[in-house]
Amino acid sequence: MKKIAVFASGGGTDFQSVIDANEQNPFCEIACLVASKEGIGAIERAKRHKIPFVVYAKKDYPSLEELYASLGDFLEREGVEYIVLAGYLTILTEPFVKRFEDKIINSHPSLIPAFCGEGYYGLKVHRAVIEYGAKLSGCTVHFVNAEPDGGAILMQEAVAVLPTDTPEQLQERILQVEHRMLPQAVRALVEGRVHKNGRIISIEE
Amino acid sequence: MKKIAVFASGGGTDFQSVIDANEQNPFCEIACLVASKEGIGAIERAKRHKIPFVVYAKKDYPSLEELYASLGDFLEREGVEYIVLAGYLTILTEPFVKRFEDKIINSHPSLIPAFCGEGYYGLKVHRAVIEYGAKLSGCTVHFVNAEPDGGAILMQEAVAVLPTDTPEQLQERILQVEHRMLPQAVRALVEGRVHKNGRIISIEE
């Protein structure tokens, strides 16, 4: 089974969604969790499920370039083929993205190209959607390229914005979709069912 | 029953969707069709359904300002309360938009704020969606303000983009949604069920 690494910066609920789907009906080996700092909730989840983890923290490296060069070497040594960003907040360097071209996916809590790119993360996304008065938002799983949220799109699903929604409530409903969509995307990827032609992606059933 | 005017520039399928819904279960009086030129299909539909029509063509006026000043006077004399843009391609003037503030709605064949604004009309919208590789597009009904496609949103519905879609095929599926959504929006509007608070709109069931 193909090896994947999951990158996380926080509580790790996206990470958990991949763990759960993979335990129920295995499709990959989660070779390791890469945490962006010590003490985050995702690390506890890795321990609980006996998944190896490493911490690659900005503060331990003179530059992000050196961090990602070292992390890239580590992942190659481990035989990791795919990388899943699961609530990972550090922007990857361009050489790292090139090194793992078409191998890194991320999920974003809006319907890209709306409400995405620099500055749109966490609750800010949902606050912007609500202030705009959009009636639909949703979730997008996409490949990672050098442009924030700019890579080719694997999957999207819409979620209704309710007139009474707070950013927190909208976030919660979109997270539920994300926790279903992200493992499906990982599964399709590792099973070789994702076909990419420029920006156009088709996924075999 | 409240009087509406429908503005059209082409074949008038959006116009027809309002006519049909209103004949089945009347909610407004379609006081007139405003055509942007002679000879368009929408005029034939008006004749067939015995709806009065007028032609306000750019070429007959020294400027758009004068055209819309005259058209505004005409609509007020007729007691028209709401205006529905149904495939109407001329950009309204700012004084006209101000004169009928929160009284003019339009539909756009994408999920605004994605794939909208100047230059995004007709097949160009769908071509851009497909080239971007978006997995969802859809239809938006919104109020018209001075910014193209920039007004507050009444309704949105998503439509899946298929890997095999041509711009024409995607357009056709979105039109089907539009023909259902636009009459629903007009009905809600004339029945006073649309409540607007800045950019945030709620619609009573």
Side-chain angles (χ1 to χ4, degrees):
Chain A
M1 243 185 290
K2 306 255 187 199
K3 289 185 180 181
I4 71 164
V6 178
F7 289 21
S9 297
T13 63
D14 274 354
F15 176 38
Q16 188 73 52
S17 74
V18 178
I19 295 172
D20 291 346
N22 196 49
E23 287 187 350
Q24 227 183 333
N25 184 358
F27 50 91
C28 67
E29 178 186 338
I30 306 177
C32 68
L33 167 74
V34 176
S36 65
K37 57 184 177 193
E38 305 278 358
I40 62 174
I43 293 177
E44 294 311 306
R45 297 181 195 265
K47 288 178 183 170
R48 209 178 305 142
H49 292 272
K50 308 205 186 318
I51 294 167
F53 68 94
V54 289
V55 176
Y56 275 77
K58 259 196 255 189
K59 66 171 182 51
D60 299 332
Y61 289 82
S63 69
L64 283 181
E65 276 64 30
E66 287 167 84
L67 184 158
Y68 284 107
S70 166
L71 176 51
D73 292 343
F74 166 75
L75 295 172
E76 284 195 356
R77 277 198 310 274
E78 295 290 317
V80 166
E81 286 200 56
Y82 294 101
I83 295 166
V84 179
L85 307 188
Y88 184 71
L89 295 179
T90 315
I91 305 266
L92 306 174
T93 59
E94 210 167 319
F96 186 85
V97 169
K98 285 251 161 70
R99 187 170 177 174
F100 295 94
E101 200 174 359
D102 297 343
K103 302 291 186 188
I104 311 173
I105 63 172
N106 182 41
S107 66
H108 179 81
S110 81
L111 294 176
I112 292 175
F115 306 107
C116 67
E118 254 186 285
Y120 284 104
Y121 57 88
L123 280 173
K124 287 188 188 187
V125 177
H126 308 295
R127 202 171 291 127
V129 167
I130 288 171
E131 284 171 3
Y132 190 88
K135 296 299 179 192
L136 288 180
S137 190
C139 176
T140 301
V141 176
H142 61 92
F143 278 115
V144 173
N145 67 9
E147 197 192 329
D149 299 325
I153 293 171
L154 284 86
M155 295 179 175
Q156 292 189 298
E157 188 172 323
V159 171
V161 182
L162 306 179
T164 56
D165 267 342
T166 61
E168 290 78 4
Q169 289 169 325
L170 180 57
Q171 180 179 52
E172 178 54 35
R173 290 205 311 286
I174 291 178
L175 263 179
Q176 290 175 18
V177 174
E178 196 166 320
H179 292 162
R180 176 161 42 74
M181 186 186 283
L182 185 60
Q184 283 174 2
V186 178
R187 178 188 293 269
L189 197 62
V190 299
E191 291 179 352
R193 291 186 286 109
V194 174
H195 305 290
K196 187 166 175 291
N197 179 8
R199 289 196 61 86
I200 314 299
I201 290 181
S202 59
I203 299 185
E204 272 171 71
E205 287 305 320
Chain B
M1 248 187 284
K2 306 255 187 199
K3 290 185 180 181
I4 72 164
V6 178
F7 289 21
S9 297
T13 62
D14 274 353
F15 176 38
Q16 187 73 52
S17 73
V18 177
I19 294 172
D20 291 346
N22 196 48
E23 287 187 351
Q24 226 182 332
N25 184 359
F27 50 91
C28 68
E29 178 187 340
I30 305 177
C32 68
L33 167 73
V34 176
S36 65
K37 57 183 177 195
E38 304 278 357
I40 62 175
I43 293 177
E44 294 311 307
R45 298 181 194 265
K47 289 180 181 168
R48 209 177 303 142
H49 293 271
K50 309 204 187 315
I51 294 167
F53 67 93
V54 288
V55 176
Y56 275 79
K58 258 195 254 190
K59 65 171 183 51
D60 299 333
Y61 289 82
S63 69
L64 283 180
E65 276 64 32
E66 288 168 84
L67 184 158
Y68 284 108
S70 166
L71 176 51
D73 292 344
F74 166 75
L75 295 173
E76 284 194 356
R77 277 198 309 274
E78 295 291 317
V80 166
E81 286 201 56
Y82 294 101
I83 295 166
V84 179
L85 306 189
Y88 184 71
L89 295 179
T90 316
I91 304 266
L92 305 174
T93 60
E94 210 167 317
F96 186 86
V97 169
K98 285 251 161 72
R99 187 170 177 175
F100 295 94
E101 198 174 359
D102 296 343
K103 302 292 184 186
I104 312 173
I105 62 171
N106 182 42
S107 67
H108 179 80
S110 80
L111 293 177
I112 293 175
F115 306 107
C116 67
E118 252 186 288
Y120 284 104
Y121 57 88
L123 280 174
K124 287 188 187 187
V125 177
H126 308 295
R127 202 171 290 127
V129 167
I130 289 171
E131 285 172 2
Y132 190 88
K135 296 299 179 192
L136 288 180
S137 189
C139 176
T140 301
V141 176
H142 60 92
F143 278 115
V144 173
N145 66 10
E147 195 192 331
D149 299 325
I153 293 172
L154 283 86
M155 295 180 176
Q156 294 188 295
E157 188 172 322
V159 171
V161 182
L162 306 180
T164 56
D165 267 342
T166 62
E168 289 79 4
Q169 289 168 327
L170 180 57
Q171 179 179 53
E172 178 54 36
R173 290 205 312 285
I174 291 177
L175 263 179
Q176 290 174 18
V177 174
E178 197 166 320
H179 293 162
R180 176 161 44 74
M181 186 186 284
L182 185 61
Q184 283 175 1
V186 177
R187 179 188 293 268
L189 197 62
V190 300
E191 291 179 352
R193 292 186 285 110
V194 174
H195 305 291
K196 186 166 175 292
N197 180 7
R199 290 196 59 86
I200 314 298
I201 290 180
S202 59
I203 298 185
E204 273 171 72
E205 289 302 324

